[in-house]
Amino acid sequence: MTPTPPKKNTRRANIVLVMVFFALLWLPLVDNLLGLDHTRPTDENRALAPPPVKRPIKRAIKEFPRNFEAWYNDRFGFRTMLVRQYHTIKTGWLGIANPDLALVGKEGWLFLGRKPLIDEARGLYPALDIGIDAWASRLEEIRQWQVARGGKFLLVLVPDKHRIYPEYLPDWFVPSEQRRKEQFLAAHTESAMDILDLTQSLRDAKAVAPERLWLKTDTHWSGVGAYYGYAAILEHLGMTPLAPDAVHLVDEAPRYEGDWHNDSNLAGFLGVRGLMPESWVGLLPNAPRADVTTDYPPPTGEVGDVVVPFATKIDDDALPTALLIGDSFRWGLVPLMSENFRQILYTDFRYCFFDPTLAEELAPDVIIFLMTERMFLRIPMPPENNTW
């Protein structure tokens, strides 16, 4: 039996299919050359592979193929678009999230993931004595340094998001009230260290606040939450905070370059930032007096695009000076705290735990060490390292 010749339309379809296949093979290279993909990158919460080292030595030559592959896999054409579409389908459409990055709670609320953090929040991961002792030792060094100069030292503990909004957690996630923070506080009931735990103040504020104290899609407190934290800190220091009618809500770019603002980092971790938009909900003074200053020693370093330390200044000799050492929650305090101090220096203990040279130059009347309670999961390095 004579075989039937393929139809002309079938042959054309095959030709088109082959052409499309080869076009798709070349598209990534075209994007690498022309930069066609303008999709906003997702937050992968990791450093991308560095470019391979080009050195005429045996080891570099041997490792070049593997290093080049790792570098190219993180940068091939249209990768950003494909990764974002993957996350959109997986999390945005199917509701499947990566618990190592973020937990999807009720009514669109997101919470920081990672098993050690989750277990600790549920009271399943008690602290080792070495961890509590390490924190106590490092903080006591700063306190003694400050007290020897005649200044004040205040340790401020910021609660985790699920302490304030447990009703939005998944049903299986039942947070514990006995965690590492409680262990630390119990060990310091007779201590000379001045400690302010903001948990109850923020729980009380939740009932009267005009907006949420935490952002639904971010790990940080909103500007409103930062205001109530700021007010509690100032009152604890015997100072007068800005009154509620002296500040206003905004949904705009931050006042200071590098100033903290909501970037929906949890939604970013899941790659669905665009599907879960959220207002910044900032809170700024109505008549700000503080300005950014560079009147301090060379910076400790740079964290991303943010210079550490960061300082503001007011021309008023009647005001005290301060050094605020904290984690990322400090940025919400910047527009507010800056209005109460002649000069205040903000630095990040995760990159330089305490710099006595920097502090000596500033000669602060008060040192505020601000940390989120989840930081108790980590152990600060010895003083000689002076780093996180």
Side-chain angles (χ1 to χ4, degrees):
M1 183 176 180
T2 305
T4 304
K7 296 182 179 179
K8 185 178 293 186
N9 289 342
T10 302
R11 184 180 296 113
R12 288 176 180 174
N14 290 337
I15 293 173
V16 171
L17 183 62
V18 171
M19 293 175 64
V20 170
F21 174 75
F22 277 102
L24 291 175
L25 287 179
W26 281 94
L27 269 179
L29 181 59
V30 172
D31 178 49
N32 286 136
L33 294 174
L34 303 180
L36 302 177
D37 184 6
H38 299 292
T39 307
R40 179 177 178 173
T42 59
D43 300 319
E44 298 188 47
N45 203 28
R46 68 178 181 90
L48 299 183
V53 178
K54 302 175 183 177
R55 288 184 294 178
I57 59 176
K58 183 177 181 180
R59 181 177 177 183
I61 295 173
K62 183 178 180 180
E63 294 179 350
F64 183 87
R66 181 176 67 250
N67 293 340
F68 177 82
E69 182 179 12
W71 172 82
Y72 183 74
N73 285 344
D74 279 347
R75 294 167 179 83
F76 66 83
F78 292 102
R79 177 183 183 275
T80 300
M81 181 195 70
L82 293 172
V83 170
R84 180 166 290 279
Q85 291 304 315
Y86 165 77
H87 288 302
T88 298
I89 294 172
K90 179 181 177 182
T91 304
W93 296 359
L94 301 179
I96 303 172
N98 184 349
D100 287 334
L101 299 176
L103 296 178
V104 178
K106 300 171 184 176
E107 299 183 24
W109 281 71
L110 300 178
F111 296 86
L112 193 61
R114 302 170 195 166
K115 190 176 187 303
L117 291 173
I118 296 170
D119 287 348
E120 197 278 331
R122 298 172 67 198
L124 306 177
Y125 200 177
L128 300 174
D129 289 341
I130 187 175
I132 296 297
D133 292 344
W135 274 108
S137 175
R138 292 305 312 273
L139 292 169
E140 181 61 19
E141 290 166 8
I142 305 174
R143 189 193 74 83
Q144 290 184 7
W145 183 94
Q146 177 68 347
V147 170
R149 295 182 51 262
K152 294 181 180 180
F153 175 81
L154 174 63
L155 171 62
V156 179
L157 302 178
V158 182
D160 286 334
K161 183 177 181 177
H162 38 65
R163 288 269 199 181
I164 309 301
Y165 290 98
E167 64 270 29
Y168 295 110
L169 285 166
D171 290 333
W172 60 265
F173 193 146
V174 180
S176 172
E177 287 297 305
Q178 295 302 315
R179 297 171 52 189
R180 293 190 172 200
K181 182 189 73 175
E182 281 69 35
Q183 290 179 265
F184 179 86
L185 291 174
H188 285 78
T189 53
E190 304 297 327
S191 170
M193 188 175 299
D194 191 5
I195 305 175
L196 173 62
D197 180 5
L198 293 177
T199 304
Q200 192 56 50
S201 296
L202 292 169
R203 283 175 172 169
D204 293 341
K206 176 183 173 183
V208 298
E211 300 282 348
R212 291 186 297 270
L213 304 186
W214 253 257
L215 296 155
K216 293 175 63 174
T217 61
D218 197 279
T219 56
H220 299 95
W221 50 17
S222 66
V224 178
Y227 172 79
Y228 284 101
Y230 149 79
I233 293 170
L234 266 288
E235 290 169 0
H236 189 86
L237 291 171
M239 302 173 65
T240 304
L242 295 172
D245 60 0
V247 294
H248 64 282
L249 286 169
V250 295
D251 182 7
E252 61 188 36
R255 178 171 173 233
Y256 301 116
E257 182 181 358
D259 195 2
W260 173 85
H261 61 287
N262 171 37
D263 61 0
S264 299
N265 64 352
L266 292 174
F269 290 166
L270 296 177
V272 291
R273 193 195 307 271
L275 296 180
M276 307 180 76
E278 184 174 14
S279 298
W280 178 55
V281 195
L283 204 147
L284 299 177
N286 296 337
R289 298 189 297 162
D291 289 312
V292 177
T293 178
T294 56
D295 184 20
Y296 54 84
T300 306
E302 292 190 8
V303 184
D305 296 328
V306 179
V307 175
V308 178
F310 175 86
T312 60
K313 190 174 184 178
I314 298 175
D315 292 328
D316 186 346
D317 293 338
L319 296 177
T321 57
L323 170 62
L324 194 154
I325 309 169
D327 52 29
S328 55
F329 274 69
R330 74 191 187 280
W331 286 116
L333 299 173
V334 169
L336 305 167
M337 296 287 289
S338 298
E339 296 298 308
N340 291 88
F341 294 93
R342 180 171 79 253
Q343 185 171 14
I344 179 168
L345 200 62
Y346 302 89
T347 189
D348 194 319
F349 65 78
R350 296 170 300 173
Y351 303 96
C352 182
F353 197 87
F354 177 62
D355 187 342
T357 303
L358 196 66
E360 187 68 42
E361 181 73 17
L362 176 66
D365 296 304
V366 58
I367 293 180
I368 302 168
F369 195 101
L370 178 126
M371 60 180 285
T372 321
E373 64 176 302
R374 64 174 173 266
M375 291 298 170
F376 280 118
L377 272 170
R378 305 178 69 177
I379 300 177
M381 299 295 289
E384 55 269 20
N385 291 10
N386 201 33
T387 60
W388 183 245

